[in-house]
Amino acid sequence: MALDVLIGLQWGDEGKGKIVDYLSEKYDIIARFQGGPNAGHTIVIDGRSFVLHTIPSGIFREGVVNIIGNGVVIDPITLFKEIDALENIEVPVRDRLLVGQKAHLILPTHRWLDAASEHAKGKQKIGSTLRGIGPTYMDKTGRNGLRVGDIMLPDFDAKYAALKRKHLQLLSMHPPVDFDLEGEEQKWMTAILGLRQLQHVSCEYYLGRALKEGKRILAEGAQGSMLDIDYGTYPYVTSSNTVTAGVCTGLGVAPSSIGEVIGIVKAYTTRVGGGPFPTELHDDMGKFLQDEGHEYGATTGRPRRCGWLDFLQLNYTIMLSGVTQIVLTKLDILNKLETIQAADSYTLETGEIVRELPYCLDAFDITPNYVSYAGWQSDINTIRDWSQMPQATKDYIRAIEKTTNTPVSIVSTGPEREALIIRSSPL
Ligand code: GDP
Ligand code: IMO
Ligand code: MG
């Protein structure tokens, strides 16, 4: 049996959480493979909204196993906030959740370092979520990190103290930034006691066995492909591989086990934090998309920058991840528009017209060239059947399929779990 992958194809917040929650009914296991509490995945069930940061979005389904994979970085404090909130509404999280032993831990001092590093960058700051992601992955690749498995070993306290010491030395080289280390450390140690009680697994053996047994597995991506550490808009990226390749290292599965690759695409584009965004709209249309789409971060509450769809960007991320189908979300946000635009080439400063993303999106002037599509100017939120869709909506979707050479299997028309049009079976 193959392992399917679900990833965001833009700069994050494409609606991954909603689609994983819907699809999880069809899977035995949902596995997060990278990122950490910088993610905010929103799920709306029976009018109630839940935001998950570390826990996979299959947690609401009975009989589904949810794994926090080895490639994830875990802040025990955030994890237990999520567990407590889910237990409050009687979701039996502990029965459904497994934690990869090789996942790295975010220490309070990682968050402090994140804040100090961003502060020191001044105007060049990344716009990090300040969840300690960058410093934790730095310690991972620097071979200094602490992992979930370490908390069960007798020398854990000594290892923690050594890493904290190293961080305090580093912090002394940065301009001072306020941080309540004592208070945060106390909460962290309490959460570590809780983490010891959760079910730990060797993610690679667990999934290896599951694949042999024919279990259906979905890998849930966080962030978006344009935030990938290698292929995103570096340095304005996150610190993990958000593309399909990250699934293999993040979960310990072979490339040959990958099946469908489901790319989530918002019907327009958003980005939160710093960095280039060629189709960003600084006018009333940008404001319209922000207001109509409630484009405020699920993790930090920051306003998201908004703009049109960008086919150069989409074709790039589809290529990088071998995307086999698209799920198009937030199409309802365009309901009122007379015309919808999407970039299909850029004119560079030299006058050259390109259809591939240049090396750097912010070093030179780039002017996107747009194609216009007629809007449908009607409410599609309650439509559940493709045949009921206005012709203009179908035309816009078909144009996306044609330009990306990728089928759109599901269309999402509202935040609720059931606001979907299934065009073809996603599996
Ligand atoms: P994620 O990080 O990719 O899971 O996405 P977020 O949860 O950060 O942001 C997506 C936002 O859009 C959330 O508030 C969702 O409830 C909402 N959403 C998802 N799909 C749709 C849709 O089709 N229409 C509308 N109007 N909202 C949606
Ligand atoms: P989900 O999974 C949108 C952005 C931050 C910042 C950059 C680096 O909800 O789609 P980091 O905290 O990783 O050091 O921040 O990446 N970013 C996201 N933007 N959605 C996310 O996750 C994001 N996770 C990180 O805003 O620009
Ligand atoms: Mg999000």
Side-chain angles (χ1 to χ4, degrees):
M1 201 78 181
L3 172 150
D4 297 335
V5 175
L6 182 146
I7 51 172
L9 293 188
Q10 293 151 314
W11 275 280
D13 303 327
E14 297 90 350
K16 300 175 291 293
K18 171 188 162 161
I19 305 301
V20 172
D21 167 62
Y22 164 72
L23 290 176
S24 57
E25 195 181 27
K26 304 173 196 312
Y27 288 95
D28 301 302
I29 301 169
I30 308 293
R32 272 280 303 269
F33 62 93
Q34 47 68 234
N38 47 350
H41 295 181
T42 314
I43 295 162
V44 182
I45 306 171
D46 298 331
R48 287 185 70 175
S49 178
F50 307 90
V51 182
L52 298 171
H53 302 284
T54 322
I55 294 177
S57 304
I59 200 71
F60 295 100
R61 302 276 188 187
E62 204 182 326
V64 175
V65 171
N66 289 262
I67 302 187
I68 302 175
N70 291 339
V72 175
V73 289
I74 300 176
D75 185 338
I77 301 175
T78 322
L79 175 61
F80 273 90
K81 271 192 202 147
E82 281 176 69
I83 291 178
D84 290 347
L86 288 166
E87 285 183 335
N88 268 337
I89 52 164
E90 280 158 30
V91 177
V93 193
R94 288 163 206 261
D95 301 341
R96 297 180 187 171
L97 185 68
L98 303 179
V99 186
Q101 288 168 321
K102 291 179 179 152
H104 278 246
L105 294 173
I106 302 176
L107 272 55
T109 39
H110 281 131
R111 281 191 285 129
W112 197 358
L113 277 167
D114 211 357
S117 150
E118 279 284 83
H119 182 68
K121 283 193 162 108
K123 277 194 174 148
Q124 263 80 45
K125 73 175 184 184
I126 308 294
S128 160
T129 59
L130 303 180
R131 297 301 186 265
I133 306 296
T136 308
Y137 279 114
M138 275 167 73
D139 271 337
K140 176 178 179 172
T141 49
R143 293 155 299 179
N144 297 311
L146 279 181
R147 304 189 290 179
V148 168
D150 293 331
I151 68 175
M152 307 307 275
L153 301 178
D155 62 350
F156 172 68
D157 288 344
K159 276 188 175 158
Y160 172 80
L163 189 52
K164 177 177 136 184
R165 214 174 313 118
K166 194 173 275 196
H167 289 167
L168 293 177
Q169 268 169 8
L170 276 172
L171 281 159
S172 69
M173 293 188 268
H174 283 86
V177 170
D178 278 348
F179 192 83
D180 172 20
L181 181 58
E182 215 172 297
E184 292 303 315
E185 202 169 36
Q186 226 165 43
K187 286 192 248 170
W188 194 82
M189 287 299 177
T190 307
I192 289 289
L193 296 179
L195 186 53
R196 286 201 176 112
Q197 309 300 317
L198 298 182
Q199 306 181 60
H200 303 177
V201 283
S202 155
C203 175
E204 55 278 33
Y205 277 119
Y206 184 89
L207 292 177
R209 270 193 295 271
L211 281 167
K212 270 197 184 142
E213 288 163 8
K215 295 259 167 66
R216 295 156 302 174
I217 308 168
L218 179 67
E220 173 180 359
Q223 288 77 58
S225 307
M226 293 303 288
L227 291 169
D228 182 273
I229 180 71
D230 286 295
Y231 296 101
T233 44
Y234 192 88
Y236 297 95
V237 292
T238 189
S239 302
S240 62
N241 283 116
T242 58
V243 297
T244 298
V247 173
C248 296
T249 52
L251 296 179
V253 296
S256 54
S257 63
I258 307 283
E260 288 296 316
V261 180
I262 304 165
I264 313 296
V265 176
K266 200 181 277 192
Y268 48 98
T269 311
T270 61
R271 170 164 207 171
V272 59
F277 178 1
T279 60
E280 181 170 12
L281 293 164
H282 298 281
D283 55 7
D284 288 351
M285 185 56 76
K287 186 77 184 112
F288 169 86
L289 293 172
Q290 191 179 68
D291 291 344
E292 199 75 5
H294 306 291
E295 294 296 353
Y296 296 90
T299 297
T300 57
R302 290 177 294 173
R304 296 174 183 149
R305 301 153 64 192
C306 297
W308 295 121
L309 211 59
D310 181 342
F311 285 127
L312 286 77
Q313 182 266 295
L314 277 185
N315 283 330
Y316 174 69
T317 55
I318 287 170
M319 170 189 79
L320 286 172
S321 283
V323 172
T324 57
Q325 54 182 297
I326 287 173
V327 173
L328 189 64
T329 60
K330 302 195 88 160
L331 196 57
D332 53 301
I333 302 307
L334 309 182
N335 280 348
K336 293 180 186 153
L337 298 182
E338 210 172 310
T339 4
I340 296 160
Q341 305 205 71
D344 74 341
S345 67
Y346 296 162
T347 302
L348 306 184
E349 215 172 67
T350 55
E352 190 190 354
I353 295 179
V354 296
R355 289 179 197 278
E356 290 187 0
L357 290 187
Y359 169 70
C360 211
L361 292 181
D362 51 359
F364 310 99
D365 263 356
I366 284 175
T367 312
N369 302 310
Y370 290 102
V371 196
S372 293
Y373 304 94
W376 42 94
Q377 296 187 280
S378 62
D379 194 334
I380 58 166
N381 303 54
T382 52
I383 299 177
R384 299 286 174 267
D385 188 340
W386 176 252
S387 65
Q388 307 295 309
M389 276 285 209
Q391 190 55 45
T393 323
K394 288 181 180 171
D395 290 344
Y396 181 58
I397 295 169
R398 289 203 173 110
I400 293 173
E401 290 185 310
K402 193 160 168 245
T403 318
T404 60
N405 202 19
T406 312
V408 173
S409 56
I410 301 181
V411 180
S412 173
T413 56
E416 310 80 22
R417 192 184 241 182
E418 59 280 1
L420 290 170
I421 296 163
I422 314 296
R423 290 188 66 208
S424 57
S425 166
L427 309 190

